[in-house]
Amino acid sequence: MNIAVVAETAPAKTIIPVIEKLDANVLSLTHSDMARELLEPYSLEMKSIGQGRRSSGVKRSNTTIAKLVLQDTYSAYNALKNKKLDLVLTCGNAGDVRKGISAAKKLGIPRLHIEQDIYNPIEMIAYADLITVPSNEYKKKLKKLYGIENTVNIKGYPQAEYVLRHILKDPDDMYRHYGVSDFYVLFLGGDTRPADIPEIIHQVELLNHNVLVVPYRFDANYVSKFVTKKGVYIIDGDVDLISLMNASEGVIYCSGMGVTIEVGALSVPAVKILGFHREHASNDLALSLGINVVSIYEIHNAVEHMQTPFGSRLIKNGSKASYKVAELAKNMNMFSGKSGGLSSLRKIWNQRKKYR
């Protein structure tokens, strides 16, 4: 079969265990160097659909954002057309999903989406032909909140299998590379407001411990402006986050599903900072794994009482879930449920407005 995947970095880690189980020619569409690096070994062809955009703390206008989205959607459309594709596979709740599903819908290509956050999905999943969810509870909530019924419960998170099989770098090599051997990792992901970064940095400086900061969604120069003490180091550029977290004494993070799954599967002590999504499936998952979810002002106390997550079941279920998605990809014609359409899109759009 011929499939296309459209993914950012964390969703790529979810999709890889699935495409490994498919006998398929894979076209990968990305706008991230890290996603490209992850997917390239599994892809017959790679296409860029734009550039990753890190925040520098300056808010872009709605007009600018709309222009960039349209440009990238057009790039996705051109990359997919005339490819005789059997399926487009997406995951996550970022703009790549919006562009991939929009382009595939225009071209009449079947669309399978892996959904992990039912509280804040991207609105275009309303036009996916089939949507997977990690639990029966989330299946019910997608129907209740957004009127989406074309769902299948895969009972887990495929990314946990990716973490299990990731080749970890020797911690001693990580210590030599970064020049410290006792450190926490602070990860600033997609659930972080730019306005919150000064206080987050201030709070981790109060720990009087080495902290390696991975800005991810943010320009490193912007984040470094708020560092006032020695021992807090900004890591600029790509990083093997899984190996870095594995080598750390603990992880402090303000992001979503990806890092929650990774620290859970690694069983690394962790604290999750409550970001601007007060309701988020990653918060539910973190709490179920024994990871405390705290406000910015509770970081110091929470780190002193950091717990090791209970990750064994997460890994076991993740492997089964990736097999389930692969089977769905091969047999999507078995499911005839209608997509949510415009009604569902409007409901999701209204939900997402709460976080703007």
Side-chain angles (χ1 to χ4, degrees):
M1 64 188 303
N2 299 313
I3 71 169
V5 301
V6 190
E8 290 191 341
T9 303
K13 296 174 184 176
T14 294
I15 287 172
I16 284 170
V18 175
I19 59 179
E20 284 181 327
K21 298 171 178 63
L22 294 172
D23 181 15
N25 298 314
V26 179
L27 164 65
S28 292
L29 277 55
T30 73
H31 58 228
S32 152
D33 290 339
M34 290 181 69
R36 182 183 184 89
E37 185 177 324
L38 288 168
L39 289 167
E40 198 159 20
Y42 305 93
S43 305
L44 188 66
E45 187 177 2
M46 303 283 303
K47 291 282 188 180
S48 171
I49 56 169
Q51 296 296 319
R53 300 174 186 117
R54 287 188 169 187
S55 173
S56 61
V58 178
K59 186 174 178 63
R60 289 187 291 259
S61 70
N62 290 336
T63 302
T64 299
I65 293 171
K67 181 180 178 181
L68 293 170
V69 169
L70 286 172
Q71 286 175 347
D72 290 355
T73 303
Y74 184 67
S75 296
Y77 175 86
N78 284 333
L80 294 175
K81 72 178 182 180
N82 301 323
K83 292 296 184 181
K84 297 182 179 178
L85 293 165
D86 300 297
L87 178 71
V88 168
L89 178 62
T90 60
C91 174
N93 66 346
D96 56 304
V97 176
R98 179 186 292 122
K99 299 156 197 170
I101 293 180
S102 297
K105 180 179 182 297
K106 182 72 173 176
L107 292 163
I109 305 168
R111 303 165 295 282
L112 173 59
H113 176 72
I114 304 171
E115 185 53 62
Q116 300 182 138
D117 178 24
I118 52 88
Y119 299 112
N120 185 41
I122 204 79
E123 71 282 342
M124 281 307 294
I125 70 165
Y127 291 101
D129 293 302
L130 192 62
I131 299 168
T132 73
V133 292
S135 72
N136 201 47
E137 177 189 1
Y138 286 179
K139 181 180 174 72
K140 292 176 181 176
K141 284 192 174 182
L142 270 184
K143 180 179 178 180
K144 180 180 179 180
L145 292 172
Y146 312 121
I148 291 176
E149 300 184 56
N150 55 328
T151 57
V152 175
N153 175 17
I154 58 172
K155 302 179 182 179
Y157 302 90
Q159 187 180 343
E161 182 186 353
Y162 176 88
V163 177
L164 176 67
R165 294 190 286 104
H166 182 77
I167 299 174
L168 294 168
K169 293 179 180 176
D170 190 308
D172 287 335
D173 291 339
M174 305 295 285
Y175 303 151
R176 282 190 290 269
H177 180 76
Y178 291 106
V180 288
S181 59
D182 56 337
F183 59 85
Y184 297 132
V185 171
L186 171 63
F187 184 85
L188 302 173
D191 207 26
T192 313
R193 286 189 185 95
D196 288 336
I197 290 178
E199 188 59 39
I200 292 174
I201 296 296
H202 173 67
Q203 291 295 322
V204 299
E205 287 182 336
L206 296 177
L207 296 170
N208 291 318
H209 199 87
N210 293 319
V211 179
L212 302 187
V213 183
V214 181
Y216 188 55
R217 291 281 189 180
F218 299 91
D219 182 88
N221 292 325
Y222 171 71
V223 178
S224 67
K225 291 191 302 183
F226 307 109
V227 176
T228 63
K229 291 185 178 180
K230 292 182 179 180
V232 177
Y233 308 97
I234 311 297
I235 301 177
D236 193 8
D238 294 345
V239 60
D240 181 347
L241 181 63
I242 295 175
S243 292
L244 184 66
M245 294 191 300
N246 181 67
S248 75
E249 294 187 6
V251 180
I252 308 158
Y253 68 101
C254 190
S255 61
M257 293 303 305
V259 177
T260 303
I261 292 168
E262 288 174 355
V263 294
L266 288 169
S267 291
V268 175
V271 167
K272 187 178 191 302
I273 303 170
L274 187 62
F276 62 85
H277 294 116
R278 298 294 163 168
E279 279 191 313
H280 201 282
S282 62
N283 296 336
D284 296 348
L285 178 60
L287 292 171
S288 73
L289 294 170
I291 299 169
N292 284 331
V293 182
V294 302
S295 74
I296 294 170
Y297 299 99
E298 297 173 302
I299 290 173
H300 187 279
N301 183 62
V303 170
E304 289 187 340
H305 299 89
M306 252 190 312
Q307 301 179 62
T308 300
F310 312 110
S312 58
R313 183 177 295 179
L314 186 70
I315 294 171
K316 180 180 177 181
N317 291 343
S319 181
K320 292 179 179 178
S322 66
Y323 274 106
K324 181 67 174 177
V325 178
E327 287 302 310
L328 291 171
K330 289 184 282 189
N331 299 286
M332 277 189 62
N333 58 346
M334 292 173 58
F335 299 88
S336 57
K338 284 186 177 182
S339 64
L342 184 59
S343 173
S344 294
L345 183 146
R346 285 173 174 161
K347 290 175 181 177
I348 298 172
W349 182 265
N350 289 333
Q351 171 73 2
R352 288 176 67 84
K353 283 199 302 187
K354 298 177 184 178
Y355 306 119
R356 295 192 184 103

